[in-house]
Amino acid sequence: MVFVMRPTSDQHLNLLKACSAFDIPVWIDFDDLLTDIPVNNPAFLYAQNSKPYIDKIEEILKLCTFATFSTPHLREVMGKNILNKSYVVPNALDRKMFKEQRLIGIQNKVVWRGGVTHERDITEFRDPITTCLRKTDWWLECMGMNTT
């Protein structure tokens, strides 16, 4: 089996065609709505929500053996034509992985995990987040990007 996350390119499409030709099962996964990228998101420069881009994703979805989506909404929107072979697998933290690790430092912590394409998501709420952090003993820890 071949697993592909967020397949959107010509190379991804060619991979799925090759797998199909050799009867190799393909599992694809989407955790973002890549068919409707906001204009101010850096990924928009690549996709621009163009018809060829969206058509390519649709073709990839048709070729896969099955697809998973991180939310029911993503499945309904992106997987609407393949509901019979699509599933929701929510984003989750596997607590077993961290069970043996000792927490270090401040316990009242909010962890933000997001790359540059999610910068708008957090900066949109920068002022209320800053206000809350100043008024409480909570801390914000960022993983994946610098939010300064």
Side-chain angles (χ1 to χ4, degrees), residues 27-39:
W27 167 14
I28 63 173
D29 181 74
F30 286 97
D31 63 350
D32 280 315
L33 185 55
L34 297 180
T35 56
D36 190 16
I37 300 170
V39 176

Side-chain angles (χ1 to χ4, degrees), residues 39-51:
V39 176
N40 60 352
N41 185 307
F44 183 82
L45 296 174
Y46 167 74
Q48 299 183 8
N49 301 331
S50 67
K51 183 168 175 21

Side-chain angles (χ1 to χ4, degrees), residues 7 16 26-30 55-69 74-88:
L16 268 82
V26 178
W27 167 14
I28 63 173
D29 181 74
F30 286 97
D55 288 348
K56 188 183 310 167
I57 292 174
E58 288 293 326
E59 188 173 356
I60 287 168
L61 286 165
K62 286 177 187 167
L63 286 169
C64 75
T65 308
F66 66 93
T68 52
F69 300 90
L74 285 179
R75 180 178 181 244
E76 291 165 14
V77 174
M78 292 185 71
K80 63 184 176 286
N81 296 323
I82 60 157
L83 292 176
N84 62 320
K85 61 178 185 176
S86 65
Y87 307 89
V88 174

